Amino acid sequence: MVKFWKFVRSFRQLELHRLILMLMVFSLVSMCLLAYYVTNSPKIKEALPLAISDCNNQHRVSQPPRHHTPLLDSSRTDPMVLIFAESIYSQLIQEIVTILESSRFKYRTEIAPGKGDVPTLTDKGRGRFALIVYENILKYVNLDAWNRELLDKYCVEYGVGIIGFFKANENSLLSAQLKGFPLYLHSNLGLKDYHINPNAPLLYVTRANQVEQGPLPGDDWTVFQSNHSTYEPVLLASTKSAEYIPHLSTHKALHATVIQDLGLHDGIQRVFFGNTLNFWLHKLIFVDAIAYLTGKRLCLSLDRYLLVDIDDIFVGKEGTRMKVLDVKALLLSQNKLRTLVPNFTFNLGFSGKFYHTGASQEDAGDDMLLKHRNEFWWFPHMWSHMQPHLFHNETVLADQMKLNNQFALDHGIPTNMGYAVAPHHSGVYPVHTQLYKAWKSIWGIKVTSTEEYPHLKPARYRRGFIHNGIRVLPRQTCGLFTHTIFYNEYPGGSKELDKSIQGGELFLTVLLNPISIFMTHLSNYGNDRLGLYTFESLVKFVQCWTNLKLQTLPPVELAAKYFELFPEEKDPLWQNPCDDRRHKDIWSKEKTCDRLPKFLIIGPQKTGTTALHFFLSLHPGIMSNFPSPVTYEEIQFFNGANYHKGIDWYMEFFPIPSNVSTDLTFEKSANYFESEVVPKRAAALLPRAKIIAILINPAERAYSWYQHQRAHQLPAALNFTFHQVISASPDAPREVRLLQSRCLLPGWYATHIERWLAHYQPSQLLIVNGLQLRNNPVAVMESVQKFLGVTLHLNYTQALIDESFCYEMASIIDLG
């Protein structure tokens, strides 16, 4: 019996162990199944975010109308802003500069003088600056008497206004009178509920029908108080609590945080800010202040052109693509936006290879897009979404485009927009010549866009250019990328997206750019449809707070408008692709920056450049460019039509160095010296290059050029003496005046050297005495080798003995 109960007990223990083991196995299997379900099942969608509501006008504040003054007449000044900074690295200065550069306004920054002199304000009876900005207005009011009188006199005489900022700190007095002004400052306040005074004269872009409700960030605000009629409030707010400022009236009253001085006190118009530009509304008012105080000379029009590209239609992994309901929402949103933005149309970029490569519901979404294809604009990517710079053969590249073109024909996609975008901006910039040729031959492309010219960041520097007849427009990002799909998972939180829309980066992009092409992706219009949320909210916010007139144009018309506004951007400025990591990644691996020259001989003509070119060619470690069939030993790339052929064309003139670290390549183009555009162009492409100029007596150079032209049978040189040519009046025949210019202009040495030194360091420039080159070439070549830092030193004494005849001929030919 005892043995029986022992057996039963052991059996129960065994069963218990098995039960525990089974429970553990069951738990593990359940967890695996749950993990699989969570990972692979469709995401449970939360409610889609709703665009911001329409404007609310019920809180509009009406100030009694006051005396308004006419716009300042600053026409006797150059359109330049003078900034007095305490530190060029401060956040406020960076924000001021960002606005000026984004608006393409010229500026000059000076460290605000304490007791030192202000910079020269006039030149030949004309003012050098149309506006003055003080980072700290106390630097202005505390100027010594001499400089204050000088600056104020300049402002009155030339109609120049002043913008000043006051940023309170822990040492600021709670209440004080601004020295020399009937104006009191009350500082270190907490404020709320920002109002715009609709009667403020400076309002232009800003629309005074909204109230920014809620507390303003920080407790370091300053408000202005005055009974003088010269002051007009611009922005007003109430205090958070009356206890903060017992010296003012009840906290329910509105106090001016930005105030406009109409100039009735001393004849100078000013705008004072009681804080920095951290708060978005201050940036908007700052833009208006610039426009008002410069008589709208530094001012963009109210027209804003928007184009929203949706890249990668049909491209995207399962779960990120558009479904039927998403396409319907896209159409509905487009119709809504058209009521606010005339002609608004989404612009869809397609790669046909990926059509019907999603889940069944997403494939239905593809079909829905094609069903409504005539409701949208369309533009091509590459058929397989490959990067064009990877195709070195133009024919292969064109074949890829033909596949996409055939897909468009098969599905009735309209392709007459004359616009295309390359995947990842590859081949657009840096220029891949094969892409431009294939685009024109297959699609008839006239316009493209990129975010890479001249560089991705900072975005405010993005510009347009024209290459090979195709107009390239700057493209902007809007904070939406392929991975930004869900509102609540937006990087940094959904508030970051809303902040960008409501006065932040996206809003400022529209504010400061007359034309904005926004890049979005297919995935931004599925799932939470962040693309629709973003642009509906942006358009409403812009129209609530500004007087900007939003509209959309097709790409070809948009490009025409862009270069009408910015004709100076038609000519590109080629950069070195190897100086930008992103550019190097989208540049053909068959190309190398090692082919670019290490130094330039820039001229001027008839000073000995051909002789120097010959001497350098004797050096085994120095290689010149291959000759041109048109301009012989000179490429003449940077100063003429050849520049527009691009750097691929330029690099073909240079050999690939056998030893990159020791071999030096160079080119000599003697008309680079006096060109106004060459120094900037050369420094952009060859920032580390060394520059060699040869100078002789400018009178001898002028006469040598005259004799050179006589030898070439130029009628003006044959029919007029040298004296007649250089002393010719403005009424002389045109051909005589042209010859006079070519004789005299290159001899303005100081002017041309100063221009080169604006783009190159003095240590990069060597000036060779042409007379010494003729009389003592060995000594000159010693100094040239030292300047170039060649590792292999050539004994020119022996070299010139061996080549004495050639040297003599070269000297005669070049020096005339």
Side-chain angles (χ1 to χ4, degrees), residues 580-789:
D580 186 315
R581 184 175 179 179
R582 284 180 60 93
H583 289 175
K584 197 171 181 179
D585 288 342
I586 55 175
W587 199 42
S588 171
K589 304 305 179 186
E590 292 191 352
K591 302 172 186 177
T592 172
C593 296
D594 295 333
R595 296 187 72 171
L596 292 171
K598 301 300 187 294
F599 68 94
L600 304 176
I601 300 175
I602 62 174
Q605 294 170 311
K606 310 313 296 175
T607 61
T609 55
T610 300
L612 181 59
H613 178 277
F614 173 74
F615 297 154
L616 288 168
S617 298
L618 299 177
H619 196 294
I622 298 177
M623 297 174 290
S624 177
N625 56 275
F626 304 130
S628 164
V630 178
T631 52
Y632 308 106
E633 83 273 11
E634 297 192 356
I635 305 177
Q636 298 185 9
F637 173 68
F638 291 104
N639 64 326
N642 289 337
Y643 186 73
H644 296 278
K645 297 177 181 178
I647 66 172
D648 289 359
W649 179 89
Y650 183 53
M651 290 193 300
E652 287 296 324
F653 282 94
F654 297 96
I656 299 177
S658 57
N659 190 324
V660 175
S661 60
T662 59
D663 292 350
L664 298 178
T665 53
F666 77 99
E667 71 137 321
K668 184 270 289 186
S669 292
N671 50 10
Y672 284 173
F673 178 73
E674 69 270 17
S675 170
E676 293 187 5
V677 298
V678 169
K680 182 178 180 180
R681 289 176 173 179
L685 183 60
L686 310 170
R688 290 171 293 279
K690 294 189 175 182
I691 309 298
I692 299 177
I694 308 175
L695 305 184
I696 63 173
N697 186 314
E700 291 183 16
R701 198 220 67 84
Y703 184 70
S704 180
W705 180 258
Y706 171 78
Q707 292 293 348
H708 180 74
Q709 296 304 103
R710 282 181 64 87
H712 283 77
Q713 302 296 305
L714 185 72
L718 294 172
N719 297 330
F720 294 87
T721 67
F722 178 64
H723 180 268
Q724 288 174 322
V725 169
I726 63 173
S727 60
S729 69
D731 299 328
R734 182 175 181 272
E735 61 271 17
V736 175
R737 287 185 283 110
L738 287 175
L739 178 57
Q740 180 191 65
S741 175
R742 294 304 306 144
C743 286
L744 299 181
L745 181 62
W748 297 358
Y749 294 158
T751 299
H752 305 318
I753 291 173
E754 183 179 16
R755 188 184 301 120
W756 280 94
L757 289 176
H759 298 279
Y760 284 97
Q761 294 297 318
S763 60
Q764 293 177 268
L765 176 64
L766 175 66
I767 296 177
V768 173
N769 186 322
L771 186 60
Q772 288 183 1
L773 179 65
R774 177 190 296 179
N775 297 331
N776 191 0
V778 173
V780 170
M781 294 312 297
E782 289 292 320
S783 65
V784 170
Q785 289 186 89
K786 183 178 180 181
F787 171 70
L788 295 176

Side-chain angles (χ1 to χ4, degrees), residues 206-276:
T206 308
R207 185 178 181 185
N209 71 340
Q210 281 281 90
V211 176
E212 180 72 4
Q213 294 182 320
L216 301 184
D219 291 319
D220 55 357
W221 290 80
T222 295
V223 299
F224 302 96
Q225 185 181 31
S226 177
N227 292 323
H228 200 289
S229 59
T230 192
Y231 296 111
E232 181 77 36
V234 180
L235 295 181
L236 307 101
S238 56
T239 58
K240 293 179 183 177
S241 171
E243 63 181 353
Y244 288 129
I245 45 173
H247 43 270
L248 285 182
S249 57
T250 173
H251 70 280
K252 294 182 180 180
L254 293 176
H255 309 290
T257 63
V258 178
I259 199 164
Q260 180 175 358
D261 183 346
L262 303 177
L264 305 180
H265 173 61
D266 57 7
I268 303 172
Q269 294 197 38
R270 306 175 181 88
V271 176
F272 294 149
F273 287 78
N275 210 306
T276 64

